Amino acid sequence: KFDFVSGANDAIVVKHANGMVYSTPFVVQTNASTINRHYLGEPVEVFLNGRHTDLAMHIGEDGKCCFEDKTQNPPPAKLRRLPLRDGRNSLDFRIKDQLVIASAGLFAWRSTDKLVVVDIDGTVTRTDAGGVLASSEFGQSIGLLHAHEGVSEVLSYISSGGYRLLFLTARPITRSEATKKYLNQIGQEEGVAM
């Protein structure tokens, strides 16, 4: 079911050798400010890899989820206690009756990891507009890829060299799930994990 308002961005947690842990914001947008106004102010439980955490958010008046300090930055002490696996972890943001309002990836990296930033539209895809169309429900239903030939092999080669790939896009948060599905589809089509 397509929701024009809700979504979540993936986040990155960086672990330092001295024990400090830093994170990008947990950006979660709900449809509470437009469609489901009765959810405004509701508590949001955060699940990591299917397990409940002690991270507590709530839905603000603008439909965005925030922590107690009214930011989207998780408290560092609670972040350090999360049982993170190296690489990709899953986040689910849930409200009443365990209803999942958004999901995202939480990537645990070390401060010494090497990083390559990959622009999606116009770099992975042949054109900006074509890439957005290809990742839409319509584009995916007809098997439209619109990616540069060999892009999966190049990215796989970079990754095999020990680099972490960080995909960058200016697409709206509501397109995050479709964009991730599209990137996986490109990799499957070319026989390479992305």
Side-chain angles (χ1 to χ4, degrees):
K1 177 176 136 182
F2 181 66
D3 182 340
F4 287 94
V5 184
S6 300
N9 285 342
D10 289 346
I12 300 170
V13 171
V14 178
K15 302 179 213 174
H16 291 265
N18 65 5
M20 294 302 294
V21 179
Y22 299 95
S23 169
T24 57
F26 284 21
V27 180
V28 183
Q29 175 68 49
T30 72
N31 62 16
S33 65
T34 55
I35 300 167
N36 289 312
R37 295 195 57 76
H38 58 283
Y39 288 139
L40 292 176
E42 287 291 328
V44 176
E45 296 179 321
V46 181
F47 285 71
L48 176 72
N49 300 322
R51 299 178 70 188
H52 187 267
T53 70
D54 64 349
L55 293 173
M57 301 179 88
H58 70 275
I59 301 174
E61 289 297 316
D62 58 359
K64 293 179 182 172
C65 295
C66 57
F67 291 98
E68 292 173 16
D69 64 358
K70 297 188 183 340
T71 73
Q72 295 175 318
N73 301 313
K78 291 184 178 183
L79 195 58
R80 276 193 299 277
R81 290 194 300 265
L82 292 178
L84 294 167
R85 300 183 302 236
D86 186 50
R88 189 184 195 292
N89 295 266
S90 65
L91 286 175
D92 285 330
F93 301 92
R94 302 179 186 182
I95 56 173
K96 294 179 180 177
D97 303 321
Q98 302 298 309
L99 173 68
V100 175
I101 56 171
S103 296
L106 179 62
F107 294 84
W109 294 349
R110 293 174 300 282
S111 62
T112 56
D113 285 347
K114 300 176 283 183
L115 177 71
V116 172
V117 179
V118 182
D119 179 44
I120 296 173
D121 298 309
T123 304
V124 172
T125 65
R126 293 193 305 256
T127 64
D128 290 2
V132 171
L133 176 62
S135 68
S136 70
E137 284 75 10
F138 172 73
Q140 290 180 14
S141 71
I142 63 170
L144 181 62
L145 286 181
H146 200 71
H148 286 290
E149 187 175 325
V151 72
S152 292
E153 286 90 352
V154 170
L155 294 175
S156 180
Y157 179 76
I158 292 168
S159 180
S160 71
Y163 290 88
R164 303 281 190 167
L165 300 176
L166 175 65
F167 290 92
L168 177 71
T169 184
R171 295 178 184 194
I173 195 169
T174 57
R175 304 306 305 146
S176 62
E177 285 302 314
T179 300
K180 287 182 251 184
K181 185 176 177 184
Y182 171 67
L183 290 172
N184 287 328
Q185 184 180 4
I186 292 170
Q188 288 172 358
E189 198 67 25
E190 296 187 18
V192 177
M194 290 204 21

